[in-house]
Amino acid sequence: MPTPFPGMDPYLEHPGLWPNVHASLIIALRDDLAPRLRPRYYVAVEERVVQLGADDLLFAARPDEIHQRFLQIRDLMGDHVVTVVELLSPANKRPGKGRQEYEEKRLELLGTRTHLVEIDLLREGQPMPMRGYPSTSDYRLIISRAPRRPRADLLPFTVRQPIPRLRLPLASGDDEPEGDLNELLHTLYDRAGYDLQLDYGREAEPPLTGDDATWANALLQAAGLR
């Protein structure tokens, strides 16, 4: 069964389900990109361990560490990292040690010649710093190409919109493959059977509000899910 939402399904943001979505989408991204980048590049799934502190309230009843996967696009000729692809988790966006560690690693990466693609599919929490963008959005993609820093491409979007396509930055002169996150997420939703784990009769967590809540209710009713 496909998701009833045109883009990001807000019900996938549930704290109990998101770790599975996060890990599965990272692998789906790897599987989509790797065949299109060979033979010059390969795509590695990397993992960092985040030590959580007492101020990471969301995880107070969970283990004191979490594992976060991300992607590295590596150039085979020099075996160096060309691009890092990050998919944010709740620990990255809420106050606490998890966010502090991520911001430090992010700042360090932005001082190198490595490109950064940052995917934020979570409405809850504080977005990553973005100078010159005062307004907010439900979700957003950031593409930071090393030669253009401190400038970056920002693709904000709402729960009512499909996830924008993005161009993956590579070494200078190489064609940038287009990534269709919307299609990847919707295919993953269907294959993983996430509809069997979601109760669309209840509110999303975090809940939608105002006009978005009214819109979602009408959408779910039209799909026979309410």
Side-chain angles (χ1 to χ4, degrees), residues 47-83:
E47 184 176 86
R48 72 169 63 92
V49 178
V50 178
Q51 302 292 334
L52 301 175
D55 48 355
D56 292 283
L57 300 178
L58 181 63
F59 302 94
R62 300 187 185 185
D64 58 1
E65 67 178 33
I66 59 173
H67 297 253
Q68 296 180 338
R69 291 180 175 179
F70 60 98
L71 298 180
Q72 288 184 344
I73 316 298
R74 304 186 73 102
D75 188 328
L76 273 172
M77 294 184 65
D79 195 30
H80 63 275
V81 181
V82 175
T83 307

Side-chain angles (χ1 to χ4, degrees), residues 26-223:
I26 283 290
I27 298 300
L29 276 166
R30 189 274 311 273
D31 292 346
D32 176 65
L33 290 171
R36 296 192 284 149
L37 294 178
R38 61 177 301 141
R40 176 165 181 182
Y41 303 95
Y42 71 94
V43 186
V45 178
E46 301 291 340
E47 184 176 86
R48 72 169 63 92
V49 178
V50 178
Q51 302 292 334
L52 301 175
D55 48 355
D56 292 283
L57 300 178
L58 181 63
F59 302 94
R62 300 187 185 185
D64 58 1
E65 67 178 33
I66 59 173
H67 297 253
Q68 296 180 338
R69 291 180 175 179
F70 60 98
L71 298 180
Q72 288 184 344
I73 316 298
R74 304 186 73 102
D75 188 328
L76 273 172
M77 294 184 65
D79 195 30
H80 63 275
V81 181
V82 175
T83 307
V84 169
V85 181
E86 295 276 4
L87 176 61
L88 297 186
S89 71
N92 301 140
K93 297 189 65 180
R94 297 177 69 93
K97 191 174 181 181
R99 181 183 178 98
Q100 179 184 348
E101 286 189 9
Y102 178 75
E103 285 191 337
E104 289 173 354
K105 292 181 182 297
R106 184 181 191 253
L107 188 60
E108 180 181 353
L109 187 148
L110 292 175
T112 71
R113 298 178 65 182
T114 301
H115 309 300
L116 171 65
V117 175
E118 192 173 76
I119 304 166
D120 185 354
L121 299 179
L122 297 170
R123 289 171 293 125
E124 189 171 21
Q126 184 66 26
M128 288 296 114
M130 188 73 179
R131 184 179 300 175
Y133 183 67
S135 58
T136 59
S137 56
D138 293 325
Y139 314 109
R140 58 189 194 168
L141 311 176
I142 296 175
I143 302 97
S144 174
R145 293 174 172 82
R148 296 186 56 205
R149 289 181 186 135
R151 297 182 179 275
D153 297 324
L154 174 65
L155 304 176
F157 57 105
T158 72
V159 71
R160 306 192 200 188
Q161 298 173 306
I163 303 171
R165 293 171 178 263
L166 61 85
R167 291 282 180 183
L168 184 75
L170 297 172
S172 177
D174 285 353
D175 293 335
E176 297 184 350
E178 188 174 65
D180 191 342
L181 283 170
N182 207 69
E183 180 180 355
L184 282 176
L185 183 65
H186 284 221
T187 299
L188 174 63
Y189 178 100
D190 200 25
R191 288 180 177 174
Y194 284 132
D195 62 298
L196 301 176
Q197 304 175 59
L198 300 175
D199 184 356
Y200 289 111
R202 297 185 177 183
E203 295 300 322
E205 187 178 337
L208 296 166
T209 59
D211 292 342
D212 286 338
T214 302
W215 169 83
N217 183 59
L219 189 75
L220 294 171
Q221 286 182 342

